[in-house]
């Protein structure tokens, strides 16, 4: 680094020396004429009277109007005995076009400038340069037509070939030293950011990339080495890179100094700064060249805003603010000088040409140091936090040891209590299991008892008919016998008695068959439920038998029960538990789904699914909400608490379905849409019956 700085100082002194001596060794007289119409031909310009041409002094740049056309006449004389070569350098990169004419020519010898590709430039130089050879003891007049865009000066320099070569070598040394420094800073911070995994380094790298590209554009090196054919970028690249660098810098400063937490107002100012730069980019893309001069003011506004924010953070004593202030101080000095030179408000000088490089190099270094300072502060804070955490951990360990000792003592005291409580809990658990089994059996017997009561009530009708018919027949037989004994029995009386006997016998026969059917169905259902034995059966027949047993319970209800189970669904399972589930589901639909409703229907159906049978009981009653549906199979859960509901029916049914029947029982319901209970069970049970 010291060698590079010394080289810069030596080169600056050399350039300052060349600045005052460049025209002293050149026997060139320069005059100019301003073409206000912009339409004058070269032939007309050559015939201008000499008094209309004004002398050009590079020490005092004459002001020209924007977009003016300036004709320069170079009168050269070589009084020596050897060849001489001059170089005419224009340090204004905003010159739209330069046309070089030799006396008597109809067309320009060379045509180059901002609107032309770089390869058309006669000399490889970061600015625009024209070379001219002159033989011994000769003279020549060379004309150059200059078309301006933004800048209003020419910034013309006349060199001998030897002085120009030395100047160009030193100029390139300064430029390459700057870009080498930028590349070194970029690589170093990129590697450091990857190692630390800190996004702040990405913002800093973005700033460095665009500020270096901005310098490449403003210095003219970019159009030689990076984008020689990109004409649009040649015109606007420097400003676009400057705006982009400002965006990254604003985001970098907000995060570097933690402005959103420590100084929210300053963070909003930086957000405004970014918005201005984005607006400038959009304006430049849409409007183009007419907006260039105005958009060029945005970097100045950005510098002012950033300076206000930095001074405020210094006053607030935020960490890292002093480095940022120094960085902006260096950048402001170079940038403002360069911008004023770009507007033609300052003469050409070393500080004007290299101000951005010098300021941005100092800024990159100082911001890099601010990153390092931030890392040191974070590292110290981390060490302090780790030390505090270690102390807290040691205190916690001591407290934990004391707590453990107290717990051990308490544990010894509680062990005996735990043993006693364990015995009590085991006894209580055994009692609970026994009580649960008793409740389940009670639920089964309750269902069977309800069925017995219903069947008994149903048997009263046919048995009453039989008693009435038999007593009537007995009285009729006694009457016939008396008539026969007294000889009063007539033929018509005998025939009428025979008809009555026949009708009574048929009535007794039908009632007896109905009672026998009820007894047979109840006997089969009762035997199945009590014994829980396994047998082969037809599913529809079992459903019919259970519905017959439930007929007394359903007789007074206004809701029909439809058996839609198809014939031919043969099973080898446990019909008793299956009937108990069916009974519980039907009674659940009556008591919970259809209660307090004048109309309703219960539908029973079934289908085969491979080795499984699916039986469902569906009603169109009130349905259940999500909370009730989620708890419907829980033991002792009922919506009819205190109204005769035990809360065990569906719980017992679910247990029977998942164990004895090797299947499952599910419920589907929505409020107001009824409920559907679906039983899936093995068609051929693998359990021993």
């Amino acid at each position: 680094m010291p060698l590079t700085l010394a080289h810069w100082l030596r080169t600056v002194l050399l350039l300052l020396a060349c600045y005052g001596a460049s025209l002293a060794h050149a026997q060139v007289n320069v005059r100019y004429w301003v073409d206000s119409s912009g339409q004058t031909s070269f032939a007309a310009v050559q015939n201008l009277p000499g008094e209309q041409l004004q002398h050009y002094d590079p020490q005092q740049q004459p002001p020209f109007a924007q977009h003016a056309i300036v004709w320069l006449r170079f009168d050269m004389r070589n009084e020596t005995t050897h060849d001489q070569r001059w170089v005419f350098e224009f340090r204004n990169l905003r010159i739209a076009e330069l046309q070089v004419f030799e006396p008597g020519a109809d067309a320009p010898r060379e045509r180059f400038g901002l609107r032309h590709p770089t390869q058309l430039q006669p000399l490889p130089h970061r600015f625009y340069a024209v070379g001219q050879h002159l033989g011994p003891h000769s003279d020549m007049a060379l004309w150059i037509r200059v078309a301006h865009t933004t800048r209003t000066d020419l910034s013309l320099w006349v060199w001998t070939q030897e002085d120009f070569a030395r100047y160009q070598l030193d100029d390139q040394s300064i430029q390459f030293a700057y870009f080498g420094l930028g590349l070194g800073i970029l690589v170093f911070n990129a590697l450091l950011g990857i190692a630390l995994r800190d996004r702040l380094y990405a913002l800093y790298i973005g700033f460095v990339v665009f500020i270096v590209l901005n310098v490449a554009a403003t210095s003219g090196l970019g159009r030689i080495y990076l984008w020689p054919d990109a004409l649009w970028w040649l015109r606007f690249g420097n400003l676009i890179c400057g705006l982009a660098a400002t965006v990254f810098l604003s985001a970098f400063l907000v995060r570097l100094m933690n402005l959103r937490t420590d100084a929210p107002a300053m963070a909003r100012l930086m957000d405004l700064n970014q918005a201005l730069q984005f607006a400038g980019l959009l304006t430049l893309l849409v409007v183009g060249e007419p907006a260039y001069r105005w958009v060029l003011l945005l970097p100045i506004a950005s510098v002012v805003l950033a300076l206000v924010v930095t001074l405020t953070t210094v006053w607030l004593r935020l960490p890292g603010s002093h480095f940022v202030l120094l960085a902006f101080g260096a950048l402001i000095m170079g940038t403002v000088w360069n911008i004023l030179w770009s507007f033609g408000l300052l003469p050409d000088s070393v500080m004007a040409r290299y101000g951005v490089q010098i300021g941005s190099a100092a800024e990159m270094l100082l911001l890099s140091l601010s990153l390092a300072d931030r890392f040191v502060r974070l590292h110290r804070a981390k060490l302090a936090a780790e030390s505090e955490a270690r102390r807290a951990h040691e205190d916690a360990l001591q407290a934990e040891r004391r707590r453990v000792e107290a717990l051990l003592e308490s544990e010894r005291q509680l062990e005996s209590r735990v043993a006693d409580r364990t015995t009590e809990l085991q006894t209580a658990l055994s009692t609970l299991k026994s009580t649960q089994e008793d409740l389940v059996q009670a639920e089964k017997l309750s269902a069977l008892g309800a069925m017995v009561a219903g069947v008994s009530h149903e048997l009263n009708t046919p048995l009453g008919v039989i008693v009435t018919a038999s007593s009537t027949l007995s009285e009729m037989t006694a009457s016939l016998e008396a008539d026969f004994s007294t000889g009063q029995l007539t033929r018509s009386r005998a025939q009428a008695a025979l008809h009555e006997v026949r009708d009574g016998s048929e009535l007794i026969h039908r009632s007896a068959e109905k009672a026998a059917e009820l007894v047979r169905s109840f006997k089969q259902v009762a035997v199945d439920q009590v014994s829980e034995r396994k047998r082969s059966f037809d599913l529809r027949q079992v459903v019919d038998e259970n519905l017959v047993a439930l007929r007394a319970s359903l007789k007074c209800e206004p809701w029909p029960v439809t058996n839609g189970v198809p014939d031919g669904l043969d099973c080898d399972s446990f019909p008793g538990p299956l009937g108990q589930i069916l009974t519980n589901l039907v009674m659940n639909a009556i008591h919970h789904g259809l209660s307090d409703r004048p109309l309703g229907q219960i539908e029973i159906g079934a289908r085969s699914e491979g080795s499984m049978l699916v039986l469902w009981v569906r009603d169109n009653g009130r349905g259940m909400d999500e909370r009730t549906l989620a708890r419907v199979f829980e033991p002792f859960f009922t919506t009819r608490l205190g109204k005769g509901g035990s809360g065990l029916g569906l719980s017992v049914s679910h247990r029977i379905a998942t164990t004895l029947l090797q299947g499952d029982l599910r419920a589907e319901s929505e409020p107001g849409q009824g409920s559907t209970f679906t039983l899936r069970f093995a068609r051929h049970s693998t359990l021993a019956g």
Side-chain angles (χ1 to χ4, degrees):
M1 186 64 68
L3 293 178
T4 303
L5 183 58
H7 183 74
W8 279 6
L9 293 175
R10 181 182 66 83
T11 305
V12 169
L13 293 175
L14 177 61
L15 291 176
L16 288 173
C18 292
Y19 179 87
S22 59
L23 287 178
H25 299 88
Q27 300 179 13
V28 179
N29 182 32
V30 183
R31 290 180 294 171
Y32 69 93
W33 176 73
V34 179
D35 182 6
S36 57
S37 66
Q39 304 297 325
T40 308
S41 64
F42 175 57
V45 171
Q46 290 185 95
N47 297 324
L48 288 173
E51 58 271 13
Q52 293 189 16
L53 300 179
Q54 302 182 45
H55 177 69
Y56 179 82
D57 183 4
Q59 302 292 339
Q60 297 178 352
Q61 293 281 344
F64 299 115
Q66 185 179 358
H67 302 290
I69 303 298
V70 180
W71 288 87
L72 293 170
R73 176 186 173 102
F74 296 85
D75 294 314
M76 298 170 286
R77 177 179 298 174
N78 183 7
E79 298 177 350
T80 64
T81 59
H82 55 273
D83 292 344
Q84 285 188 350
R85 183 175 181 86
W86 282 277
V87 176
F88 310 123
E89 180 192 18
F90 296 87
R91 294 179 183 171
N92 182 355
L93 289 174
R94 303 302 299 174
I95 295 177
E97 185 180 55
L98 293 101
Q99 297 180 13
V100 181
F101 293 87
E102 293 183 351
D106 296 330
R109 183 187 75 187
E110 294 160 337
R111 186 194 301 264
F112 58 96
L114 185 62
R115 296 174 181 171
H116 297 280
T118 305
Q119 57 264 27
L120 297 180
Q121 187 170 324
L123 292 178
H125 184 52
R126 68 187 185 97
F127 295 120
Y128 301 121
V130 179
Q132 181 61 48
H133 172 265
L134 193 62
H137 301 291
S138 60
D139 53 17
M140 179 182 179
L142 186 71
W143 288 85
I144 298 180
R145 182 181 184 271
V146 182
H148 286 85
T149 55
T150 304
R151 290 255 312 262
T152 58
D153 69 325
L154 294 175
S155 190
L156 170 64
W157 292 77
V158 181
W159 302 88
T160 63
Q161 180 67 35
E162 294 79 8
D163 290 340
F164 180 77
R166 288 192 298 270
Y167 150 73
Q168 190 173 23
L169 177 61
D170 288 326
D171 179 72
Q172 290 179 351
S173 299
I174 292 177
Q175 299 299 331
F176 289 130
Y178 169 80
F179 289 108
L181 175 65
L183 180 62
I185 292 175
L186 182 66
V187 173
F188 172 76
N189 285 281
L191 295 176
L192 191 59
I194 293 173
L196 298 178
R197 296 181 180 179
D198 192 345
R199 295 181 181 177
L200 183 61
Y201 284 87
L203 296 175
Y204 177 73
I205 290 169
F207 163 71
V208 171
V209 168
F210 281 105
I211 199 67
V212 169
L213 289 176
N214 174 263
V215 172
T218 55
S219 65
L221 290 177
R223 68 185 185 89
I224 297 177
Y225 298 106
L226 299 179
W227 45 78
D229 298 325
L231 298 181
W232 187 88
W233 189 258
L234 286 174
R235 298 165 62 187
F236 305 114
N238 63 327
L239 189 51
I240 291 176
C241 291
L243 295 174
T246 303
V247 171
F248 276 97
L249 182 60
S250 299
F252 170 77
L253 293 179
V254 170
R255 189 178 178 91
L256 175 69
M257 295 184 287
N258 199 22
L259 295 182
R260 299 207 183 276
T261 302
D262 298 337
M266 298 301 101
R268 289 192 290 271
L269 270 183
M270 299 308 289
D271 292 339
L272 173 63
N273 187 21
Q274 293 188 63
L276 287 175
Q277 309 312 309
F278 278 119
L281 283 171
L282 182 62
T283 303
L284 190 61
L285 293 174
V286 174
V287 180
E289 184 71 33
Y292 181 85
R293 291 175 63 89
W294 300 107
V295 176
L296 196 61
L297 296 174
L298 287 178
I300 299 178
S302 173
V303 170
V304 173
L305 281 176
L307 184 59
V308 170
V309 171
T310 304
L311 291 174
T312 304
T313 56
V314 171
W315 180 70
L316 294 174
R317 297 183 179 180
L318 297 183
S321 58
H322 292 84
F323 282 106
V324 176
L325 179 61
L326 291 175
F328 270 113
L331 180 64
I332 289 172
M333 289 179 62
T335 303
V336 171
W337 202 279
N338 182 263
I339 290 176
L340 294 176
W341 173 67
S342 299
F343 276 102
L345 301 177
L346 289 178
D348 186 76
S349 65
V350 174
M351 187 60 190
R353 279 181 281 116
Y354 299 110
V356 174
Q357 289 93 320
I358 297 172
S360 63
E363 183 186 35
M364 289 188 295
L365 286 172
L366 290 170
L367 290 180
S368 182
L369 290 176
S370 69
L371 278 175
D373 176 68
R374 175 178 176 272
F375 173 76
V376 171
R377 286 186 282 105
L378 291 177
H379 183 65
R380 289 176 179 172
K382 180 181 178 182
L383 292 178
E386 290 177 351
S387 177
E388 185 66 25
R390 282 195 298 269
R391 286 194 297 270
H393 182 65
E394 291 174 357
D395 295 340
L397 285 178
Q398 293 295 334
E400 187 68 22
R401 290 192 188 97
R402 292 190 294 269
R403 192 179 299 110
V404 168
E405 292 174 357
L407 288 175
L408 289 175
E409 181 63 26
S410 300
E411 183 180 2
R412 285 190 291 269
Q413 296 176 2
L414 291 175
E415 282 181 352
S416 59
R417 298 182 186 177
V418 170
D420 296 339
R421 294 293 178 88
T422 301
T423 303
E424 295 176 3
L425 289 175
Q426 288 177 347
T427 303
L429 180 61
S430 177
T431 303
L432 180 61
K433 289 183 178 179
S434 177
T435 303
Q436 184 178 5
E437 292 295 331
D438 292 342
L439 288 174
V440 172
Q441 294 300 324
E443 180 68 18
K444 293 182 180 179
L445 293 177
S446 175
L448 187 59
M451 186 182 300
V452 169
V455 170
S456 299
H457 178 76
E458 191 71 15
L459 282 173
N460 283 335
T461 300
L463 291 179
V465 172
I466 291 173
V467 171
T468 303
S470 62
S471 62
T472 302
L473 288 177
S474 178
E475 292 176 357
M476 186 179 297
T477 303
S479 176
L480 285 174
E481 186 178 0
D483 291 342
F484 182 76
S485 299
T486 59
Q488 297 179 0
L489 180 64
T490 63
R491 180 181 181 87
S492 59
R493 170 66 175 151
Q495 289 178 348
L498 288 174
H499 284 299
E500 291 182 6
V501 168
R502 185 180 63 232
D503 293 340
S505 299
E506 290 178 357
L507 183 60
I508 292 173
H509 179 70
R510 287 197 302 271
S511 299
E513 284 184 346
K514 184 176 181 181
E517 180 185 357
L518 285 171
V519 171
R520 183 170 56 255
S521 298
F522 169 71
K523 179 181 178 181
Q524 184 63 55
V525 172
V527 169
D528 287 338
Q529 291 194 6
V530 173
S531 63
E532 293 188 356
R533 63 186 180 86
K534 176 182 175 183
R535 67 180 178 86
S536 298
F537 58 90
D538 181 77
L539 182 59
R540 179 179 176 85
Q541 182 179 352
V542 168
V543 173
D544 282 336
E545 291 173 351
N546 282 272
L547 291 180
V548 169
L550 288 173
R551 186 176 302 165
S553 300
L554 303 176
K555 188 174 183 180
C556 298
E557 305 294 349
W559 314 294
V561 180
T562 304
N563 182 8
V565 178
D567 294 324
L569 295 179
D570 297 328
C571 308
D572 185 15
S573 186
F574 298 87
L578 177 61
Q580 185 177 356
I581 293 176
L582 180 63
T583 300
N584 286 337
L585 296 180
V586 172
M587 299 308 295
N588 183 76
I590 291 174
H591 293 155
H592 297 278
L594 299 174
S595 62
D596 303 328
R597 290 204 170 198
L599 298 176
Q601 184 176 3
I602 301 174
E603 175 190 352
I604 303 174
R607 67 175 182 273
S608 175
E609 291 185 357
S611 62
M612 305 293 288
L613 286 180
V614 179
L615 176 69
W616 64 83
V617 177
R618 181 182 296 119
D619 66 77
N620 58 354
R622 68 181 63 185
M624 296 178 284
D625 55 25
E626 293 184 358
R627 180 177 175 276
T628 303
L629 186 62
R631 303 183 59 192
V632 71
F633 294 117
E634 292 183 7
F636 306 107
F637 174 76
T638 178
T639 58
R640 293 176 56 85
L641 186 62
K643 300 179 182 179
S646 64
L648 285 174
L650 291 179
S651 175
V652 171
S653 299
H654 187 271
R655 196 179 76 163
I656 293 173
T658 56
T659 56
L660 198 60
L661 296 184
Q662 297 178 307
D664 58 28
L665 179 62
R666 298 179 182 178
E668 299 176 3
S669 181
E670 292 183 7
Q673 302 297 322
S675 303
T676 301
F677 288 85
T678 305
L679 170 66
R680 296 180 76 257
F681 63 97
R683 189 165 188 171
H684 300 285
S685 176
T686 59
L687 301 177

